[in-house]
């Protein structure tokens, strides 16, 4: 047995290095056949295996000569006894696994790879290795069981790639154990191997992986549906040992995600891929079980990924296409899932979620003695639940509904969502800035935040088209505008809060544009197109941001509901949202708001002309942010400096014209006050302009938002973004053609300059 082990050890070292084997392939099969009989391994004794190994040792081929190469490191430590049957079986499985890995690796030398492939094919033909490994992974020895399952999974994948028919013994074994749920470990092993093989197929770069997966799934199409019904019909409270049920749930959830991913990305169509969409209530029932929080979290995230069609993206080699080809059957199934989500919310789904609990960390959820645990909500749950609802609403609206139906549904479900979120957001979400909920909930997760922003804008655009087609009266349009803010989905507010969270830093936007991990490009282009058409509304919202920040030093969502509530007894007073249609009417609302407030706003609010002066005065174009790309030559630097001086000259001229216009307009004011606009030490705020002038208002010296309006900072951020994109494109460093995006950004700048030019 000692000689047998030494030869096997030397074989392992050579395969680990990817070295070519010199001997005949059949000689190596002798050492790789699993060292046990074909009986159930759970009852096989060590003496039985030892006797088999003794027989193998006596009849080993004499032609095998596996001298260890001098370059090979000593990878195998002999900390175990050489006569250990268990260690020999583990070493056999390890050699098979490493050999399979070498076959699948592109780094293995071609001649060596062909030799390994020939050995594995002979091993599959000469012995019923599938059955033997199936027996072995039922062994009570966990390590032996795991290694056997991994080897079998790799061999199954190898047979699929080489177009070798799978043995009926293994297929029958899986079909038998998945025909109904049981607490046996066999179920988990079957699910794990099925998942492993599908993952390997997904990661394969060959063009035939769709056909390979189709061949693999065909025998299991019906049995998966049977197991789905059996597993989710379990009663959690009735199980003595819930750990096995939880393991089965987690394993099957991973398999279910891969099945749905194969439908989306590989365009396969099996009944088992539609199980979730045909019976979604089964999955929602699990979330209501008295089960561990991490299980509920996994299920909620899974449903979210299905609604966003994001399942399986981490397994797809290369970039996932942003725009998928139309798939009507999939759209029908997504609508069914979205309806199930909204129905669950109607039945109180959000109230069953355990938002508070032990913190989930890499080291576990137990807090060591003496360490303080800061209580707080599970933001993963908050984000997932929020995306579930707004994405379900978008899917439902896309599939046909009247404007009134959409408004009713939106108000009902957004009210439910905001009620659910408010207790968990600190500081609390105020009634006057409901659109801030999105940036507050998703601040820690960029990809989800942008998905939510894109979804909210999709809802807004769909409703806008419907309302424009049915509502012609100004009053109806004003009520519609009010609706967008009241339910927290106005796209301008959401975008402005996003910019405020990143400090109007154009480099962050550039990172988003370059990254393939978020949908920012799609969202940003759609928003810029909206901004071109809806500039007046955007400008009005910017003014409300400026006014509230200068007065209260807080953020607002374009309306101050508290003021509305204070004056609710007087029905003749105009609503602040009634003047959102045109930024020319903003001063009327400002006057009303100043009267309604407990303190006068006349010192914090300026007329539109004064706003234009302040922003023109701050249009000093000196860049304080550093260039994103180092210049190759001084000529590049000089070229940008020349362009910059031209921009300075143009903007300075605009500033002087605005100054003259405003001084002529407000020169007769009784309460003139000198205001020196000293620029702040802030990277995105210009520093050159320092011209004193008189206006009919008083602004705190330390309030940057009062000195430089939100609209200016937004356009300034866009301008810096343009410059960064130009520089990257000039050096061929931008990953795609940004021409259309640059045109949109330039058009926004033109609209802004036109609106700021004094008449």
């Amino acid at each position: 047995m000692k000689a047998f082990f030494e030869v096997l050890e030397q074989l392992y070292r050579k395969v680990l290095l990817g070295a070519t084997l010199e001997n005949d392939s059949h000689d190596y099969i002798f050492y790789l056949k699993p060292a046990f009989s074909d009986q159930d391994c759970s009852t096989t004794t060590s003496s039985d295996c030892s006797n088999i190994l003794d027989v193998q040792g006596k009849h080993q081929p004499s032609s095998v000569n596996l001298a260890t190469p001098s370059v090979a490191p000593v990878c195998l430590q002999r900390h175990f006894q050489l006569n250990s049957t268990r260690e020999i079986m583990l070493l056999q499985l390890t050699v098979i696994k490493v050999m399979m890995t070498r076959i699948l690796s592109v780094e293995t030398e071609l001649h060596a790879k062909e030799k390994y492939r020939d050995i594995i094919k002979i091993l599959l033909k000469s012995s019923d290795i599938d059955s033997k490994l199936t027996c072995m992974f039922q062994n009570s020895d966990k390590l032996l069981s795991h290694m056997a399952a991994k080897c079998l999974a790799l061999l199954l994948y190898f047979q699929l790639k080489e177009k070798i028919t799978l043995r009926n013994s293994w297929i029958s074994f899986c079909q038998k154990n998945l025909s109904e749920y049981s607490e046996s470990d066999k179920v988990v092993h079957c699910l794990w191997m099925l998942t492993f093989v599908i993952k390997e197929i997904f990661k394969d770069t060959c063009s035939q992986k769709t056909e390979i997966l189709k061949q693999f799934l065909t025998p299991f199409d019906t049995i998966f549906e049977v197991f789905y019904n059996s597993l989710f019909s379990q009663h959690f409270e009735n199980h003595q040992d819930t750990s096995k049920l939880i393991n089965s749930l987690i394993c099957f959830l991973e398999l279910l995600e891969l099945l749905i991913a194969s439908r989306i990305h590989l365009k396969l169509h099996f009944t088992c891929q539609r199980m979730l969409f045909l019976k979604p209530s089964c999955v929602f029932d699990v979330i209501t079980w008295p089960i561990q929080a991490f299980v509920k979290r996994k299920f909620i995230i899974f449903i979210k990924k299905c609604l966003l069609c994001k399942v399986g993206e981490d397994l797809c080699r290369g970039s996932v296409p942003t725009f998928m080809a139309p798939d009507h059957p999939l759209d029908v199934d997504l609508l069914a899932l979205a309806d199930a989500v909204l129905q669950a919310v109607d039945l109180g789904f959000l109230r069953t979620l355990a938002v508070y609990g032990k913190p989930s960390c890499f080291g576990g959820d137990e807090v060591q003695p003496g360490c303080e645990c800061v209580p707080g909500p599970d933001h993963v749950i908050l984000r997932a639940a929020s995306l579930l609802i707004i994405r379900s609403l978008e899917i439902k609206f896309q599939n046909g509904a009247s404007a009134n139906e959409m408004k009713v549904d939106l108000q009902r479900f957004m009210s439910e969502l905001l009620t659910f979120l408010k207790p968990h957001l600190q500081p609390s979400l105020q009634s006057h800035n409901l659109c801030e909920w999105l940036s507050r909930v998703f601040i820690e997760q960029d990809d989800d935040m942008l998905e939510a922003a894109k979804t909210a804008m999709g809802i807004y655009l769909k409703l806008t088209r419907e309302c424009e087609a049915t509502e012609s009266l100004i009053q109806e349009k004003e009520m519609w505008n009010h609706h967008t803010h009241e339910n927290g989905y106005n796209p301008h507010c959401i975008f402005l809060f996003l910019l405020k969270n990143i400090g109007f830093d154009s480099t962050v936007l550039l990172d988003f544009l370059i990254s393939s991990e978020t949908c920012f490009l799609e969202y940003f282009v759609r928003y810029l197109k909206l901004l071109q058409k809806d500039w007046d509304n955007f400008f009005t919202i910017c003014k409300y941001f400026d006014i509230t920040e200068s007065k209260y030093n807080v953020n607002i969502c374009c309306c101050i509901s508290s003021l509305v509530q204070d004056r609710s007894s007087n029905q003749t007073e105009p609503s602040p949202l009634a003047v959102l249609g045109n930024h020319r009417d903003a001063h009327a609302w400002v006057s009303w708001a100043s009267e309604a407030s407990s303190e006068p706003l006349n010192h914090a609010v300026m007329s539109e002309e004064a706003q234009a002066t302040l922003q023109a005065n701050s249009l000093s174009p000196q860049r304080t942010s550093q260039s994103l790309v180092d210049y190759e030559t001084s000529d590049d630097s000089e070229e940008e400096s020349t362009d910059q001086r031209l921009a300075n000259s143009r903007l300075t001229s605009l500033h002087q014209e605005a100054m003259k216009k405003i001084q002529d307009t407000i020169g007769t004011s009784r309460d003139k006050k000198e205001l020196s606009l000293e620029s702040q030490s802030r990277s995105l705020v210009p520093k050159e302009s320092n011209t004193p002038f008189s206006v009919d208002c008083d602004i705190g010296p330390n309030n940057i938002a009062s000195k430089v309006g939100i609209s200016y900072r937004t356009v300034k951020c866009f301008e810096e973004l343009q410059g960064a994109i130009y520089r990257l494109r000039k050096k061929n460093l931008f990953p795609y053609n940004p021409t259309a995006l640059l045109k949109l950004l330039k058009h926004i700048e033109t609209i802004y300059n036109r609106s700021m030019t004094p008449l």
Side-chain angles (χ1 to χ4, degrees), residues 462-480:
K462 176 67 176 177
L463 273 169
T464 299
R465 286 191 292 268
E466 294 294 328
C467 291
E468 287 176 349
T470 58
E471 298 176 358
S472 57
L473 298 177
I474 295 177
Q475 185 178 5
E476 291 176 338
K477 292 183 178 180
E478 290 172 352
M479 290 302 297
W480 148 243

PDB file of all heavy atoms in Angstrom, residues 462-480:
ATOM      1  N   LYS A 462     -44.212  57.442 -18.055  1.00  0.00           N
ATOM      2  CA  LYS A 462     -45.424  56.743 -18.474  1.00  0.00           C
ATOM      3  C   LYS A 462     -46.667  57.533 -18.061  1.00  0.00           C
ATOM      4  O   LYS A 462     -47.592  57.734 -18.871  1.00  0.00           O
ATOM      5  CB  LYS A 462     -45.440  55.348 -17.849  1.00  0.00           C
ATOM      6  CG  LYS A 462     -46.692  54.536 -18.126  1.00  0.00           C
ATOM      7  CD  LYS A 462     -46.817  54.176 -19.589  1.00  0.00           C
ATOM      8  CE  LYS A 462     -48.026  53.274 -19.833  1.00  0.00           C
ATOM      9  NZ  LYS A 462     -48.204  52.977 -21.280  1.00  0.00           N
ATOM     10  N   LEU A 463     -46.691  57.995 -16.833  1.00  0.00           N
ATOM     11  CA  LEU A 463     -47.839  58.768 -16.361  1.00  0.00           C
ATOM     12  C   LEU A 463     -47.942  60.110 -17.077  1.00  0.00           C
ATOM     13  O   LEU A 463     -49.048  60.590 -17.365  1.00  0.00           O
ATOM     14  CB  LEU A 463     -47.734  58.985 -14.850  1.00  0.00           C
ATOM     15  CG  LEU A 463     -48.328  57.869 -13.979  1.00  0.00           C
ATOM     16  CD1 LEU A 463     -47.928  58.059 -12.535  1.00  0.00           C
ATOM     17  CD2 LEU A 463     -49.832  57.836 -14.096  1.00  0.00           C
ATOM     18  N   THR A 464     -46.804  60.722 -17.356  1.00  0.00           N
ATOM     19  CA  THR A 464     -46.813  62.013 -18.047  1.00  0.00           C
ATOM     20  C   THR A 464     -47.443  61.886 -19.428  1.00  0.00           C
ATOM     21  O   THR A 464     -48.278  62.720 -19.823  1.00  0.00           O
ATOM     22  CB  THR A 464     -45.376  62.555 -18.186  1.00  0.00           C
ATOM     23  OG1 THR A 464     -44.818  62.733 -16.886  1.00  0.00           O
ATOM     24  CG2 THR A 464     -45.370  63.892 -18.903  1.00  0.00           C
ATOM     25  N   ARG A 465     -47.073  60.842 -20.150  1.00  0.00           N
ATOM     26  CA  ARG A 465     -47.660  60.643 -21.478  1.00  0.00           C
ATOM     27  C   ARG A 465     -49.156  60.433 -21.392  1.00  0.00           C
ATOM     28  O   ARG A 465     -49.912  60.976 -22.204  1.00  0.00           O
ATOM     29  CB  ARG A 465     -46.991  59.443 -22.169  1.00  0.00           C
ATOM     30  CG  ARG A 465     -45.584  59.728 -22.658  1.00  0.00           C
ATOM     31  CD  ARG A 465     -45.085  58.616 -23.560  1.00  0.00           C
ATOM     32  NE  ARG A 465     -44.876  57.377 -22.819  1.00  0.00           N
ATOM     33  CZ  ARG A 465     -43.723  57.031 -22.275  1.00  0.00           C
ATOM     34  NH1 ARG A 465     -42.679  57.834 -22.363  1.00  0.00           N
ATOM     35  NH2 ARG A 465     -43.604  55.884 -21.635  1.00  0.00           N
ATOM     36  N   GLU A 466     -49.592  59.649 -20.413  1.00  0.00           N
ATOM     37  CA  GLU A 466     -51.025  59.400 -20.270  1.00  0.00           C
ATOM     38  C   GLU A 466     -51.771  60.672 -19.883  1.00  0.00           C
ATOM     39  O   GLU A 466     -52.855  60.955 -20.389  1.00  0.00           O
ATOM     40  CB  GLU A 466     -51.266  58.307 -19.225  1.00  0.00           C
ATOM     41  CG  GLU A 466     -50.740  56.942 -19.616  1.00  0.00           C
ATOM     42  CD  GLU A 466     -51.469  56.355 -20.812  1.00  0.00           C
ATOM     43  OE1 GLU A 466     -52.678  56.644 -20.971  1.00  0.00           O
ATOM     44  OE2 GLU A 466     -50.837  55.627 -21.596  1.00  0.00           O
ATOM     45  N   CYS A 467     -51.178  61.449 -18.968  1.00  0.00           N
ATOM     46  CA  CYS A 467     -51.845  62.665 -18.507  1.00  0.00           C
ATOM     47  C   CYS A 467     -51.884  63.730 -19.605  1.00  0.00           C
ATOM     48  O   CYS A 467     -52.869  64.459 -19.738  1.00  0.00           O
ATOM     49  CB  CYS A 467     -51.140  63.214 -17.269  1.00  0.00           C
ATOM     50  SG  CYS A 467     -51.344  62.189 -15.802  1.00  0.00           S
ATOM     51  N   GLU A 468     -50.826  63.825 -20.393  1.00  0.00           N
ATOM     52  CA  GLU A 468     -50.823  64.797 -21.484  1.00  0.00           C
ATOM     53  C   GLU A 468     -51.872  64.464 -22.525  1.00  0.00           C
ATOM     54  O   GLU A 468     -52.414  65.349 -23.184  1.00  0.00           O
ATOM     55  CB  GLU A 468     -49.441  64.842 -22.143  1.00  0.00           C
ATOM     56  CG  GLU A 468     -48.389  65.532 -21.295  1.00  0.00           C
ATOM     57  CD  GLU A 468     -47.015  65.478 -21.937  1.00  0.00           C
ATOM     58  OE1 GLU A 468     -46.860  64.724 -22.928  1.00  0.00           O
ATOM     59  OE2 GLU A 468     -46.106  66.177 -21.455  1.00  0.00           O
ATOM     60  N   ALA A 469     -52.170  63.174 -22.661  1.00  0.00           N
ATOM     61  CA  ALA A 469     -53.167  62.767 -23.650  1.00  0.00           C
ATOM     62  C   ALA A 469     -54.593  62.980 -23.169  1.00  0.00           C
ATOM     63  O   ALA A 469     -55.512  63.124 -23.972  1.00  0.00           O
ATOM     64  CB  ALA A 469     -52.968  61.296 -24.014  1.00  0.00           C
ATOM     65  N   THR A 470     -54.786  63.002 -21.846  1.00  0.00           N
ATOM     66  CA  THR A 470     -56.151  63.073 -21.310  1.00  0.00           C
ATOM     67  C   THR A 470     -56.453  64.369 -20.588  1.00  0.00           C
ATOM     68  O   THR A 470     -57.623  64.719 -20.425  1.00  0.00           O
ATOM     69  CB  THR A 470     -56.390  61.899 -20.337  1.00  0.00           C
ATOM     70  OG1 THR A 470     -55.426  61.961 -19.282  1.00  0.00           O
ATOM     71  CG2 THR A 470     -56.261  60.568 -21.062  1.00  0.00           C
ATOM     72  N   GLU A 471     -55.417  65.084 -20.136  1.00  0.00           N
ATOM     73  CA  GLU A 471     -55.649  66.282 -19.336  1.00  0.00           C
ATOM     74  C   GLU A 471     -55.172  67.517 -20.096  1.00  0.00           C
ATOM     75  O   GLU A 471     -54.004  67.643 -20.422  1.00  0.00           O
ATOM     76  CB  GLU A 471     -54.902  66.174 -17.995  1.00  0.00           C
ATOM     77  CG  GLU A 471     -55.379  65.007 -17.144  1.00  0.00           C
ATOM     78  CD  GLU A 471     -54.576  64.860 -15.868  1.00  0.00           C
ATOM     79  OE1 GLU A 471     -53.629  65.647 -15.681  1.00  0.00           O
ATOM     80  OE2 GLU A 471     -54.894  63.957 -15.081  1.00  0.00           O
ATOM     81  N   SER A 472     -56.117  68.400 -20.357  1.00  0.00           N
ATOM     82  CA  SER A 472     -55.786  69.610 -21.109  1.00  0.00           C
ATOM     83  C   SER A 472     -55.864  70.860 -20.246  1.00  0.00           C
ATOM     84  O   SER A 472     -55.236  71.868 -20.558  1.00  0.00           O
ATOM     85  CB  SER A 472     -56.739  69.745 -22.309  1.00  0.00           C
ATOM     86  OG  SER A 472     -58.094  69.755 -21.862  1.00  0.00           O
ATOM     87  N   LEU A 473     -56.632  70.811 -19.173  1.00  0.00           N
ATOM     88  CA  LEU A 473     -56.771  71.992 -18.332  1.00  0.00           C
ATOM     89  C   LEU A 473     -55.516  72.215 -17.496  1.00  0.00           C
ATOM     90  O   LEU A 473     -54.872  71.264 -17.049  1.00  0.00           O
ATOM     91  CB  LEU A 473     -57.986  71.841 -17.410  1.00  0.00           C
ATOM     92  CG  LEU A 473     -59.353  71.707 -18.113  1.00  0.00           C
ATOM     93  CD1 LEU A 473     -60.443  71.499 -17.084  1.00  0.00           C
ATOM     94  CD2 LEU A 473     -59.646  72.931 -18.970  1.00  0.00           C
ATOM     95  N   ILE A 474     -55.188  73.479 -17.301  1.00  0.00           N
ATOM     96  CA  ILE A 474     -54.003  73.825 -16.505  1.00  0.00           C
ATOM     97  C   ILE A 474     -54.142  73.309 -15.090  1.00  0.00           C
ATOM     98  O   ILE A 474     -53.191  72.817 -14.489  1.00  0.00           O
ATOM     99  CB  ILE A 474     -53.796  75.353 -16.520  1.00  0.00           C
ATOM    100  CG1 ILE A 474     -53.483  75.821 -17.935  1.00  0.00           C
ATOM    101  CG2 ILE A 474     -52.670  75.744 -15.560  1.00  0.00           C
ATOM    102  CD1 ILE A 474     -53.329  77.314 -18.058  1.00  0.00           C
ATOM    103  N   GLN A 475     -55.348  73.410 -14.532  1.00  0.00           N
ATOM    104  CA  GLN A 475     -55.567  72.969 -13.154  1.00  0.00           C
ATOM    105  C   GLN A 475     -55.299  71.474 -13.013  1.00  0.00           C
ATOM    106  O   GLN A 475     -54.715  71.021 -12.024  1.00  0.00           O
ATOM    107  CB  GLN A 475     -56.998  73.294 -12.725  1.00  0.00           C
ATOM    108  CG  GLN A 475     -57.275  72.981 -11.251  1.00  0.00           C
ATOM    109  CD  GLN A 475     -58.683  73.364 -10.846  1.00  0.00           C
ATOM    110  OE1 GLN A 475     -59.478  73.784 -11.684  1.00  0.00           O
ATOM    111  NE2 GLN A 475     -58.986  73.227  -9.572  1.00  0.00           N
ATOM    112  N   GLU A 476     -55.704  70.682 -14.040  1.00  0.00           N
ATOM    113  CA  GLU A 476     -55.460  69.241 -13.981  1.00  0.00           C
ATOM    114  C   GLU A 476     -53.965  68.932 -14.028  1.00  0.00           C
ATOM    115  O   GLU A 476     -53.476  68.039 -13.341  1.00  0.00           O
ATOM    116  CB  GLU A 476     -56.181  68.559 -15.146  1.00  0.00           C
ATOM    117  CG  GLU A 476     -57.700  68.570 -15.021  1.00  0.00           C
ATOM    118  CD  GLU A 476     -58.367  67.975 -16.235  1.00  0.00           C
ATOM    119  OE1 GLU A 476     -57.719  67.956 -17.315  1.00  0.00           O
ATOM    120  OE2 GLU A 476     -59.518  67.530 -16.127  1.00  0.00           O
ATOM    121  N   LYS A 477     -53.234  69.679 -14.851  1.00  0.00           N
ATOM    122  CA  LYS A 477     -51.799  69.461 -14.939  1.00  0.00           C
ATOM    123  C   LYS A 477     -51.099  69.856 -13.642  1.00  0.00           C
ATOM    124  O   LYS A 477     -50.116  69.228 -13.234  1.00  0.00           O
ATOM    125  CB  LYS A 477     -51.231  70.252 -16.118  1.00  0.00           C
ATOM    126  CG  LYS A 477     -51.689  69.708 -17.469  1.00  0.00           C
ATOM    127  CD  LYS A 477     -51.053  70.470 -18.623  1.00  0.00           C
ATOM    128  CE  LYS A 477     -51.496  69.873 -19.958  1.00  0.00           C
ATOM    129  NZ  LYS A 477     -50.906  70.595 -21.111  1.00  0.00           N
ATOM    130  N   GLU A 478     -51.623  70.902 -12.991  1.00  0.00           N
ATOM    131  CA  GLU A 478     -51.042  71.304 -11.714  1.00  0.00           C
ATOM    132  C   GLU A 478     -51.270  70.225 -10.654  1.00  0.00           C
ATOM    133  O   GLU A 478     -50.384  69.938  -9.848  1.00  0.00           O
ATOM    134  CB  GLU A 478     -51.646  72.635 -11.277  1.00  0.00           C
ATOM    135  CG  GLU A 478     -51.197  73.820 -12.132  1.00  0.00           C
ATOM    136  CD  GLU A 478     -51.964  75.083 -11.796  1.00  0.00           C
ATOM    137  OE1 GLU A 478     -52.936  74.994 -11.026  1.00  0.00           O
ATOM    138  OE2 GLU A 478     -51.587  76.152 -12.307  1.00  0.00           O
ATOM    139  N   MET A 479     -52.451  69.626 -10.674  1.00  0.00           N
ATOM    140  CA  MET A 479     -52.734  68.543  -9.724  1.00  0.00           C
ATOM    141  C   MET A 479     -51.836  67.333 -10.001  1.00  0.00           C
ATOM    142  O   MET A 479     -51.374  66.671  -9.077  1.00  0.00           O
ATOM    143  CB  MET A 479     -54.204  68.139  -9.818  1.00  0.00           C
ATOM    144  CG  MET A 479     -55.151  69.187  -9.282  1.00  0.00           C
ATOM    145  SD  MET A 479     -54.815  69.586  -7.537  1.00  0.00           S
ATOM    146  CE  MET A 479     -55.153  67.998  -6.779  1.00  0.00           C
ATOM    147  N   TRP A 480     -51.579  67.088 -11.275  1.00  0.00           N
ATOM    148  CA  TRP A 480     -50.687  65.978 -11.635  1.00  0.00           C
ATOM    149  C   TRP A 480     -49.277  66.248 -11.126  1.00  0.00           C
ATOM    150  O   TRP A 480     -48.601  65.361 -10.608  1.00  0.00           O
ATOM    151  CB  TRP A 480     -50.717  65.796 -13.145  1.00  0.00           C
ATOM    152  CG  TRP A 480     -49.442  65.304 -13.752  1.00  0.00           C
ATOM    153  CD1 TRP A 480     -48.651  65.946 -14.637  1.00  0.00           C
ATOM    154  CD2 TRP A 480     -48.813  64.050 -13.522  1.00  0.00           C
ATOM    155  NE1 TRP A 480     -47.561  65.193 -14.974  1.00  0.00           N
ATOM    156  CE2 TRP A 480     -47.632  64.014 -14.298  1.00  0.00           C
ATOM    157  CE3 TRP A 480     -49.105  62.949 -12.727  1.00  0.00           C
ATOM    158  CZ2 TRP A 480     -46.770  62.930 -14.305  1.00  0.00           C
ATOM    159  CZ3 TRP A 480     -48.238  61.875 -12.731  1.00  0.00           C
ATOM    160  CH2 TRP A 480     -47.095  61.871 -13.513  1.00  0.00           C
TER     161      TRP A 480
END
